[in-house]
């Protein structure tokens, strides 16, 4: 199979991973005030764990063409304890009037989102550059 | 070797025809009515039949590869539009890959056509 854009599979994998990271961050931001999650406890912040796996490049029989491809290993939960705020009117408040709110700091999530979005952008720039290089190479034959 | 050996023979036949210069028996007959007949002969003798076949195979494989890329791009766009979980960037990159493969195929086709026309313009 011809591969006009070489190494694009790694970039696609990285884009997938960053996309997942942004999805998880958006879930965190959306649930920043969820005091009653599916298990009855406050929502716990989720973190994406990346790992790179060796991937045999397409059509290659030898080991020299192994590339390490990024993918999401797992989506873990942040182990930090929930933040307790005093809100006696809340139905989820305990006997002392304290409500356990998710361990989410919106500023932290925003910074993470900028980081993920910039990483996505960098990988898109790689794709754009690959395409420009391929088209420039094809233009050798034009007259 | 066989088409090259065929040509001197025909020119020799023309050389012995009446009206030709006897001092130049190997000279090509320029204004002759029968000149098109030897032109047909090298085309009949084709020693590179298996080579031409395999080149056709290579070309056919390339075209089917490009077709596969186009189909993959179609499937990605279908998956995106039907909401079956294909991310946007995968569909766009599949389309770009199909586009670049197609342009590569067009370039190869242009080169082939150019060389064919160059051959047809060749003075015999």
């Amino acid at each position: 199979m011809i591969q006009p854009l070489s190494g694009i599979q790694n970039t696609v994998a990285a884009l997938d991973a960053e996309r997942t990271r942004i999805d998880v961050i958006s879930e965190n931001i959306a649930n920043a005030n969820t005091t009653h999650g599916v298990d009855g406890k406050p929502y716990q912040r989720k973190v994406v764990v990346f790992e790179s796996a060796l991937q045999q490049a397409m059509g290659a029989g030898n080991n020299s063409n192994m590339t390490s491809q990024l993918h999401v290993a797992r989506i873990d939960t942040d182990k930090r304890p929930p933040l307790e705020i005093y809100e006696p009117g809340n139905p989820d408040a305990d006997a002392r009037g304290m409500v356990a709110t998710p361990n989410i700091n919106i500023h932290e999530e925003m910074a993470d989102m900028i980081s993920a979005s910039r990483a996505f952008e960098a990988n898109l720039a790689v794709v754009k550059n690959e395409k420009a290089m391929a088209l420039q190479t094809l233009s050798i034959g034009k007259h | 070797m066989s088409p090259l050996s065929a040509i001197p023979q025909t020119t020799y036949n023309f050389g012995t025809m009446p009206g030709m210069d006897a001092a130049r028996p190997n000279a090509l007959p320029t204004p002759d009515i029968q000149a098109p007949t030897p032109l047909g002969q090298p085309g009949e003798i084709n020693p590179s039949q298996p080579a031409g076949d395999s080149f056709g195979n290579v070309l056919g494989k390339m075209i089917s590869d490009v077709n596969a890329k186009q189909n993959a791009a179609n499937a990605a766009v279908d998956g995106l539009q039907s909401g079956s979980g294909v991310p946007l960037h995968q569909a766009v990159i599949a389309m770009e890959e199909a586009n670049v493969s197609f342009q590569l195929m067009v370039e190869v086709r242009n080169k082939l056509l150019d060389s064919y026309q160059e051959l047809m313009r060749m003075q015999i």
Side-chain angles (χ1 to χ4, degrees):
Chain A
M1 180 68 83
I2 49 170
Q3 289 286 338
L5 307 176
S6 65
I8 204 80
Q9 295 309 319
N10 289 341
T11 316
V12 170
L15 285 170
D16 279 342
E18 295 298 341
R19 184 78 244 175
T20 313
R21 194 169 150 210
I22 292 177
D23 287 350
V24 166
I25 290 168
S26 69
E27 190 185 339
N28 284 342
I29 292 176
N31 284 294
N33 296 314
T34 308
T35 55
H36 199 93
V38 279
D39 50 355
K41 290 181 200 155
Y43 176 84
Q44 264 197 313
R45 178 172 181 262
K46 285 182 184 164
V47 195
V48 173
V49 181
F50 285 167
E51 73 177 8
S52 67
L54 278 183
Q55 205 84 27
Q56 186 93 37
M58 273 178 85
N62 51 350
N63 288 340
S64 60
N65 276 338
M66 299 284 272
T67 60
S68 57
Q69 215 170 61
L70 170 70
H71 69 101
V72 175
R74 62 183 191 281
I75 298 174
D76 224 335
T77 50
D78 195 332
K79 298 294 187 296
R80 282 179 289 184
L83 304 170
E84 296 219 316
I85 56 168
Y86 181 67
E87 203 182 326
N90 195 311
D92 281 330
D94 60 7
R96 298 172 295 135
M98 302 298 279
V99 180
T101 58
N103 50 357
I104 288 170
N105 182 352
I106 196 81
H107 310 108
E108 196 184 333
E109 298 305 321
M110 277 308 199
D112 274 0
M113 192 169 76
I114 290 167
S115 155
S117 149
R118 291 287 179 235
F120 192 86
E121 205 177 314
N123 283 296
L124 283 185
V126 171
V127 177
K128 216 175 239 183
N129 186 45
E130 282 281 352
K131 191 198 163 194
M133 277 168 67
L135 291 184
Q136 280 167 1
T137 310
L138 280 177
S139 74
I140 289 176
K142 294 206 174 82
H143 43 162
Chain B
M1 282 309 286
S2 47
L4 288 180
S5 58
I7 291 169
Q9 195 186 356
T10 52
T11 50
Y12 177 73
N13 288 341
F14 281 113
T16 55
M17 277 176 71
M20 288 298 294
D21 196 348
R24 296 182 293 126
N26 285 331
L28 283 171
T30 28
D32 203 295
I33 287 175
Q34 290 187 12
T37 0
L39 276 180
Q41 281 185 354
E44 290 162 10
I45 303 161
N46 194 354
S48 60
Q49 194 57 46
D53 216 342
S54 77
F55 178 67
N57 283 345
V58 168
L59 212 63
K61 189 183 172 299
M62 186 191 175
I63 290 171
S64 61
D65 270 6
V66 172
N67 190 36
K69 287 262 186 238
Q70 299 278 352
N71 286 341
N74 266 341
V77 172
D78 278 354
L80 177 72
Q81 287 180 338
S82 63
S84 58
V86 176
L88 178 66
H89 60 264
Q90 273 186 9
V92 173
I93 286 173
M95 276 160 60
E96 286 305 327
E97 252 187 313
N99 180 19
V100 174
S101 311
F102 190 80
Q103 291 201 27
L104 173 65
M105 191 187 72
V106 169
E107 282 299 320
V108 171
R109 171 245 181 223
N110 286 347
K111 274 285 164 208
L112 274 176
L113 213 61
D114 277 357
S115 49
Y116 167 73
Q117 281 172 347
E118 195 72 34
L119 277 175
M120 292 314 277
R121 277 199 298 270
M122 194 179 282
Q123 295 279 335
I124 308 287

